[in-house]
């Protein structure tokens, strides 16, 4: 099923015509209403009227998270506060929070895009959606919630936490779609097992998971433990929230981008040069229908690639590959780029390894050291030293072969690594650089 067949199956030429028209209107508006953009464009020596084609977008400067922080809290809003009906913000755990606003029309657009995403992921109006994304300033919970209601599905606004109660609700209410972060989903599976509840006895058909990078191996683990089809969802509050892109359950090969609302580019993160379709680099978004908080060429820091190859589901929208990491989460260990998701892929190739791990980076003298803390299953963990040491050596060897860097591996007991109700904490960087 396709939620919005006109836009989701539109021929490329017609789609690009709409994109250009909406882009030009957005640029005129931000130039007139957001001092940051007027100054930024003037410094680059360009005016909105000079943008005659989609290729001309490359002439405009980027917007970064620091720009949003510098204009905290409402300096990037393009409408008076009287027109803003919703405000969301990041946690601010890595600095000043970024604040975004929505008009009533923006909220409706967002709900429509989330209804589109849920449909892509297999949901119908007859489904009951167990929404374990967090509610509050984080956009995940409310984004899914309004999309579910928009499409006519039933939504259980359970949010994160109270995990045993969530399992009870799953048994009693019979939800058919699960939405959550992938790491919290695996925690749900663990707690259900402790409670003697099998997901095979529940009614879930599909799960829509996101808000953190996750590997194909983790997808296999989730599908096996929860007995459902798992698809990926992508979004970020700076662009609109969840619903920017979603995998279709038919193919599960890339996330269809809502290109009628957002223009995507892939750039070389070091030079800022736009890369051809298919090449891997940093994802950049320009929103072309947002009223309260339009954003121009926002550097997401997420690493991915985009293809325009046809999809078996019939949609013509371009697809982005699963996010493999972030430029600012990327670790550089002795000159080698290391993403947590790549370490995860190596770990999940080994029998008995649980999808719970942490990377601890230290600096000894002038040398960076990487320690990989890895949980093993109950049937693997042992107080016998030799088999554990052999497994540690095997993991360390595999990491060395994959990345070319040495890592100390430490196996830990099941459930030793802290679980998160939201995004998992994968990296502890103790270096003082």
């Amino acid at each position: 099923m396709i939620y919005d067949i006109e836009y989701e199956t539109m021929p490329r030429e017609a789609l690009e015509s709409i994109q250009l028209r909406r882009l030009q209107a957005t640029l005129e508006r931000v130039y007139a209403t957001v001092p940051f953009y007027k100054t930024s464009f003037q410094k680059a020596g360009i005016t909105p009227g000079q943008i005659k084609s989609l290729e001309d977008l490359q002439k405009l400067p980027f917007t970064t998270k620091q720009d949003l922080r510098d204009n905290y809290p409402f300096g990037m809003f393009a409408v008076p506060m009287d027109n803003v009906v919703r405000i969301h913000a990041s946690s601010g755990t890595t600095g000043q929070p970024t604040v975004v606003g929505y008009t009533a029309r923006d909220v409706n657009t967002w709900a429509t895009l989330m209804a589109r995403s849920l449909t892509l992921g297999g949901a119908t109006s007859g489904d009951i959606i167990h929404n374990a994304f967090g509610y509050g300033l984080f956009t995940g919970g409310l984004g899914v919630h309004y999309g579910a209601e928009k499409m006519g599905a039933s939504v259980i606004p359970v949010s994160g936490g109270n995990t045993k109660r969530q399992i009870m609700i799953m048994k009693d209410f019979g939800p058919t779609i699960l939405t959550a972060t992938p790491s919290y989903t695996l925690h749900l599976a663990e707690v259900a097992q402790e409670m003697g509840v099998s997901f095979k006895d529940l009614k879930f058909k599909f799960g829509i998971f996101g808000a953190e990078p996750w590997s194909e191996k983790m997808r296999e683990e989730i599908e096996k433990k929860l007995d459902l089809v798992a698809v990926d969802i992508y979004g970020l509050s700076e662009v609109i929230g969840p619903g920017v892109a979603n995998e279709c359950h038919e193919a599960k090969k890339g996330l269809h981008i809502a290109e009628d609302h957002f223009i995507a580019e892939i750039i070389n993160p070091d030079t800022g040069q736009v890369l051809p379709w298919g090449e891997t680099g940093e994802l950049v978004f320009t929103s072309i229908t947002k009223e309260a908080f339009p954003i121009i060429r926002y550097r997401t820091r997420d690493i991915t690639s985009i293809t325009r190859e046809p999809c078996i589901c019939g949609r013509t929208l371009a697809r982005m590959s699963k996010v493999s990491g972030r430029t600012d989460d990327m670790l550089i260990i002795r000159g080698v780029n290391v993403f947590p998701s790549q370490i995860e892929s190596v770990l999940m190739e080994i029998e008995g390894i649980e999808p719970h791990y942490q990377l601890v980076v230290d600096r000894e003298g002038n040398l960076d050291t990487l320690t990989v803390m890895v949980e093993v299953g109950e049937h693997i963990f042992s107080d016998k030293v030799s088999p554990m040491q052999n497994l540690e050596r095997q993991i360390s060897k595999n990491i060395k072969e994959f990345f070319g860097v040495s890592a100390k591996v430490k196996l830990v007991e099941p459930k030793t690594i802290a679980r998160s109700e939201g995004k998992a904490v994968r990296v502890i960087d103790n270096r003082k650089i």
Side-chain angles (χ1 to χ4, degrees):
M1 177 181 172
I2 298 177
Y3 184 81
D4 195 342
I5 197 160
E6 178 185 359
Y7 287 101
E8 293 183 77
T9 63
M10 182 170 281
R12 173 65 44 184
E13 186 177 343
L15 174 63
E16 292 184 352
S17 175
I18 289 174
Q19 284 184 315
L20 179 59
R21 189 172 70 247
R22 290 178 173 178
L23 171 66
Q24 289 171 327
T26 299
L27 294 177
E28 292 286 355
R29 202 156 53 79
V30 298
Y31 191 82
T33 58
V34 183
F36 165 80
Y37 284 118
K38 186 168 187 175
T39 302
S40 175
F41 290 4
Q42 286 177 339
K43 283 182 180 177
I46 194 163
T47 63
Q50 294 174 272
I51 304 301
K52 305 291 187 186
S53 68
L54 292 178
E55 287 69 32
D56 286 342
L57 181 60
Q58 300 177 27
K59 298 175 181 176
L60 295 171
F62 295 112
T63 304
T64 66
K65 187 179 283 289
Q66 188 58 49
D67 294 326
L68 308 189
R69 287 171 173 160
D70 291 344
N71 288 278
Y72 175 88
F74 305 139
M76 300 293 280
F77 286 13
V79 298
M81 285 303 292
D82 286 355
N83 295 346
V84 175
V85 301
R86 178 92 67 80
I87 295 170
H88 282 279
S90 68
S91 62
T93 51
T94 57
Q96 186 85 290
T98 55
V99 181
V100 296
Y102 302 79
T103 65
R105 184 182 171 203
D106 290 334
V107 170
N108 185 56
T109 299
W110 186 14
T112 302
L113 290 177
M114 261 315 304
R116 199 190 272 191
S117 279
L118 292 168
T119 306
L120 273 155
T124 69
S125 58
D127 278 308
I128 302 175
I129 297 174
H130 184 102
N131 184 20
F133 280 119
Y135 281 64
L137 288 175
F138 173 60
T139 52
L142 284 170
V144 172
H145 186 107
Y146 278 80
E149 290 186 344
K150 182 82 174 180
M151 69 181 296
S154 304
V155 58
I156 305 171
V158 70
S159 192
N162 291 317
T163 307
K164 289 185 176 178
R165 183 165 177 262
Q166 294 211 27
I167 302 300
M168 181 196 73
I169 288 171
M170 290 174 181
K171 287 176 59 183
D172 295 346
F173 294 5
T176 50
I177 305 286
L178 173 62
T179 55
T181 60
S183 55
Y184 185 62
T185 298
L186 288 170
H187 182 52
L188 282 166
E190 284 180 344
V191 175
Q193 186 178 27
E194 291 169 0
M195 295 170 67
V197 175
S198 170
F199 270 86
K200 291 184 183 300
D201 297 328
L202 302 179
K203 296 182 179 177
F204 287 114
K205 300 179 297 182
F206 300 104
I208 301 172
F209 308 113
E212 60 187 13
W214 53 304
S215 65
E216 286 298 325
K217 286 292 179 183
M218 184 175 270
R219 189 208 298 271
E220 291 174 13
E221 192 77 9
I222 288 173
E223 292 188 333
K224 183 174 69 176
K225 290 188 172 178
L226 279 79
D227 194 36
L228 48 69
V229 175
V231 300
D232 197 0
I233 186 171
Y234 178 84
L236 62 170
S237 61
E238 293 89 341
V239 177
I240 201 168
V244 173
N246 210 104
E247 278 183 324
C248 59
H249 66 275
E250 296 96 331
K252 295 196 297 183
K253 288 185 177 177
L255 297 90
H256 292 277
I257 299 169
E259 291 183 281
D260 47 326
H261 295 269
F262 315 109
I263 299 175
E265 301 170 275
I266 297 292
I267 65 166
N268 180 319
D270 296 324
T271 66
Q273 290 294 311
V274 175
L275 298 175
W277 298 111
E279 292 199 17
T280 298
E282 182 183 340
L283 182 60
V284 171
F285 270 119
T286 296
S287 59
I288 52 176
T289 55
K290 287 279 294 296
E291 289 185 332
F293 190 88
I295 199 150
I296 310 300
R297 302 199 82 200
Y298 181 66
R299 294 188 62 160
T300 66
R301 300 294 179 184
D302 288 326
I303 300 297
T304 185
S305 61
I306 296 177
T307 178
R308 288 178 170 177
E309 292 180 4
C311 182
I312 60 171
C313 72
R315 293 174 178 85
T316 55
L317 299 172
R319 287 171 288 154
M320 55 182 272
S321 62
K322 285 176 74 66
V323 172
S324 60
R326 287 178 54 80
T327 57
D328 50 3
D329 281 351
M330 182 181 73
L331 296 169
I332 301 178
I333 309 293
R334 281 165 254 157
V336 177
N337 297 342
V338 177
F339 288 104
S341 58
Q342 292 174 315
I343 292 281
E344 179 184 301
S345 295
V346 173
L347 296 176
M348 297 305 293
E349 292 287 345
I350 299 173
E351 175 68 24
I353 298 300
E354 295 292 308
H356 302 288
Y357 63 94
Q358 273 185 335
L359 313 183
V360 183
V361 188
D362 291 287
R363 177 159 288 180
E364 297 176 5
N366 292 319
L367 187 66
D368 292 336
T369 63
L370 172 64
T371 302
V372 183
M373 310 282 287
V374 186
E375 273 192 24
V376 293
E378 296 275 5
H379 63 295
I380 296 291
F381 192 78
S382 168
D383 55 4
K384 294 180 180 177
V385 175
S386 181
M388 297 291 282
Q389 286 181 333
N390 288 340
L391 185 53
E392 287 176 345
R393 279 194 288 269
Q394 178 64 52
I395 296 171
S396 183
K397 177 174 175 287
N398 289 8
I399 291 174
K400 175 76 173 179
E401 287 178 351
F402 188 94
F403 292 101
V405 296
S406 299
K408 180 181 179 182
V409 175
K410 185 176 181 182
L411 300 181
V412 297
E413 295 181 45
K415 299 170 188 173
T416 300
I417 293 175
R419 304 306 194 245
S420 170
E421 295 175 358
K423 299 181 183 182
V425 178
R426 297 298 193 202
V427 177
I428 299 173
D429 194 339
N430 297 318
R431 294 175 292 186
K432 308 296 182 187
I433 301 175

